[in-house]
């Protein structure tokens, strides 16, 4: 694949120097880069083109990238849409140069927990204004989700990635006959072959706002089949922390696209609420902390499949997964927290290498995310994590567990090295971003590979 050959330091179009990967998806990844002509930092999206693809597949990817650029360019002046600067075709692959923006809504929820209702209202207004303009121009985004919602340095909410957007008059493109988009955010009518246009974007926005308020997606399940069933048949409960937004979100999530409000109608509903302004403006500062005790009581509100339900307990930036079997005789609020404690502390039924997962999570919780880090205590905790995980790796059997443990060891070693070298940027990258990703990977390997075994 082209993606496998790309390395930091590569110069694109003799101008854009790739520095580090910011994120990725099924069709490409985004780099932080430096525009050497203007001496400014930018984001560069690399579209992946598999070397084994047919000529038709190759042409389809190129058309898709060109369409993203064309659609985004039409909207580039909007204050709530990420600005596109340039499109480059190099080595028969497209590179899309965009405004560099700090952080996504998905990352914000994962790191800081759900947002306050008034902050979610501001997010909703920005996205509704962006979608309203796009829909008025005949453009449907088709992939609205927390990972495509970003925050500018001034707190602005920005919608990005029009990669599967469709403009009236465009030829519809699918990849290998498949349905493009992220499963749990796709409007149910699209699975029946009905293109509802802007109403589908409004449904996806409803799922996004629900997740911003509750910290979890209402339809995410452990398998694609369960997720699809939840989207088609499940009903999301009114979020508990809605602060007046519950009615709007319920209407956005209506299974019938004809009953969903338009972007303009949804904006009017928010304006009528007269929610208080977020202190100091930026939405980024409006996260609501979530404790390991309160998180399960919030996630039990979401319909779960009979086989069990994945719950993420977010505390101080660390992620702890718990699996609870469905039991009609007791509520999830009563059973989830003990299950998390017992599974991790006693290691009952856990695969080798996972017995002390909760202890490892608790130690990661003691590691400061950024700022002035006290060297001796933090160094001691990171060393303890390394000792624990190396011992766990020595007894692990399952390949997924081994890989996850090794990744966690690599992160701890990188953080420790950066701490001793007084390199705050590398340290923060390790403990604030990479740690969360690999702890979630470790939780998946320990808990979900263990179901039914």
């Amino acid at each position: 694949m082209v993606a496998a050959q790309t390395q930091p330091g590569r110069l694109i179009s003799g101008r854009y120097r790739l520095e580090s990967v910011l994120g990725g998806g099924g069709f490409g990844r985004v780099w932080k880069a430096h525009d050497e002509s203007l001496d400014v930092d930018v984001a560069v999206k690399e579209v992946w083109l598999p070397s084994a693809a047919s000529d038709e597949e190759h042409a389809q990817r190129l058309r898709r990238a060109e369409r993203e650029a064309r659609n985004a360019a039409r909207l580039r002046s909007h204050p709530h849409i990420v600005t596109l600067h340039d499109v480059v075709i190099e080595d028969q692959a497209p590179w899309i140069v965009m405004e560099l923006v700090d952080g996504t809504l998905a990352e914000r929820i994962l790191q800081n927990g759900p947002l306050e209702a008034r902050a979610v209202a501001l997010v909703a207004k920005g996205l509704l204004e962006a979608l309203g303009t796009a829909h008025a121009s005949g453009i449907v985004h088709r992939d609205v989700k927390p990972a495509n919602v970003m925050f500018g340095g001034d707190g602005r909410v920005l919608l990005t990635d029009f990669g599967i957007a469709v403009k009236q008059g465009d030829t519809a493109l699918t990849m290998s006959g498949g349905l493009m988009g992220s499963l749990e955010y796709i409007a149910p009518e699209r699975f029946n072959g009905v293109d509802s246009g802007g109403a589908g974007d409004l449904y996806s926005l409803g799922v996004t706002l629900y997740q911003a308020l509750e910290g979890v997606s209402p339809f995410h399940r452990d398998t694609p089949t369960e997720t699809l069933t939840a989207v088609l048949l499940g009903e999301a409960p009114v979020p508990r922390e809605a602060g007046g937004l519950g009615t709007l979100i319920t209407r956005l999530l209506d299974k019938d696209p004809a009953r969903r409000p338009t972007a303009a109608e949804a904006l009017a509903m928010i304006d009528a609420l007269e929610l208080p302004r977020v202190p100091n403006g930026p939405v980024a500062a409006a996260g609501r902390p979530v404790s390991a005790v309160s998180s399960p009581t919030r996630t039990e509100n979401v319909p779960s499949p009979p086989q069990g339900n994945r719950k993420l307990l977010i505390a101080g930036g660390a992620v702890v997964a718990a699996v609870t079997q469905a039991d009609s005789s007791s509520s999830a609020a009563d059973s989830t927290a003990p299950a998390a404690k017992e599974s991790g502390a006693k290691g009952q039924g856990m695969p080798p290498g996972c017995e002390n997962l909760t202890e490892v999570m608790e130690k990661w919780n003691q590691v400061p995310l950024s700022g002035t880090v006290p060297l001796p205590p933090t160094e001691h905790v990171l060393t303890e994590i390394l000792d624990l995980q190396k011992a766990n790796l020595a007894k692990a059997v399952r390949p997924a567990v081994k890989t996850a443990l090794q990744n966690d060891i690599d992160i701890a070693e990188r953080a420790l090295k950066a701490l001793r070298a007084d390199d705050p940027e590398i340290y923060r990258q390790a403990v604030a971003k990479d740690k969360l990703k690999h702890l979630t990977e470790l939780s998946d390997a320990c808990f979900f590979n263990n179901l039914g075994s």
Side-chain angles (χ1 to χ4, degrees), residues 208-351:
T208 297
L209 298 180
Y210 187 107
Q211 186 169 344
L213 280 169
E214 295 292 291
V216 291
S217 166
F219 303 118
H220 177 75
R221 300 294 184 268
D222 296 337
T223 69
T225 300
E226 292 170 350
T227 298
L228 177 58
T229 300
V231 170
L232 293 176
L233 303 177
E235 296 290 344
V238 176
R240 296 181 177 184
E241 303 289 345
L245 292 172
T247 300
L248 171 61
I249 292 175
T250 299
R251 287 196 58 192
L252 291 172
L253 295 178
D254 198 304
K255 302 294 185 188
D256 183 353
R259 292 203 295 259
R260 294 174 203 147
T262 64
E265 291 169 344
L267 277 169
M269 291 177 68
I270 294 176
D271 290 337
L273 294 175
E274 296 183 352
L275 291 167
R277 294 183 62 82
V278 176
N280 301 323
V283 175
R288 183 171 66 247
V290 180
S291 69
V293 175
S294 64
S295 184
T297 63
R298 297 170 59 75
T299 55
E300 61 87 20
N301 199 31
V302 180
S304 59
Q307 293 88 339
N309 184 29
R310 172 183 182 178
K311 291 179 171 56
L312 294 180
L313 318 183
I314 307 177
V319 179
V320 182
V323 177
T324 59
Q325 298 301 321
D327 185 352
S328 59
S329 64
S330 62
S331 69
D334 293 331
S335 62
T336 303
K341 181 178 180 180
E342 183 174 344
S343 296
K346 298 183 180 179
Q348 295 181 352
M350 299 293 286

Side-chain angles (χ1 to χ4, degrees), residues 19-215:
E19 294 183 352
S20 60
V21 175
L22 297 175
F27 294 103
R29 60 181 171 185
V30 180
W31 292 80
K32 179 183 177 182
H34 189 74
D35 183 344
E36 297 188 345
S37 295
L38 299 179
D39 193 25
V40 294
D41 290 332
V42 294
V44 176
K45 181 174 181 180
E46 169 190 11
V47 178
W48 290 346
L49 299 174
S51 57
S54 64
D55 291 343
E56 180 183 356
E57 177 87 358
H58 182 86
Q60 186 181 61
R61 290 283 185 101
L62 283 174
R63 288 198 301 272
R64 181 176 180 272
E66 290 169 353
R67 186 176 67 189
E68 174 177 356
R70 184 173 66 247
N71 290 341
R74 287 190 177 98
L75 305 170
R76 62 181 298 164
S77 62
H78 196 281
H80 294 293
I81 294 176
V82 170
T83 301
L84 182 144
H85 297 308
D86 194 6
V87 179
V88 174
I89 304 296
E90 184 164 298
D91 296 333
Q92 290 298 303
W95 300 78
I96 302 171
V97 184
M98 303 171 288
E99 171 187 7
L100 181 64
V101 186
D102 176 39
T104 68
L105 176 60
E107 293 170 340
R108 196 63 46 83
I109 295 170
L110 184 61
Q111 294 180 22
N112 299 335
L115 276 63
E116 295 284 357
R118 61 185 183 271
V120 175
L122 292 180
V123 170
K125 290 187 69 170
L127 296 179
L128 284 166
E129 290 175 7
L131 289 173
T133 298
H135 295 168
S137 301
I139 296 172
V140 182
H141 188 282
R142 294 169 65 91
D143 199 21
V144 177
K145 59 185 179 181
N148 283 338
V149 178
M150 309 194 77
F151 296 107
D154 56 358
R156 281 183 306 136
V157 178
L158 296 161
L159 182 60
T160 189
D161 201 352
F162 279 78
I164 61 176
V166 172
K167 187 180 189 299
Q168 292 176 353
D170 277 351
T171 301
L173 297 181
T174 57
M175 191 59 59
S176 302
L179 182 70
M180 298 197 298
S182 302
L183 199 60
E184 66 202 85
Y185 303 99
I186 296 177
E189 63 270 12
R190 286 184 59 198
F191 294 101
N192 294 321
V194 176
D195 187 352
S196 56
D201 281 347
L202 273 297
Y203 177 92
S204 302
L205 175 64
V207 181
T208 297
L209 298 180
Y210 187 107
Q211 186 169 344
L213 280 169
E214 295 292 291

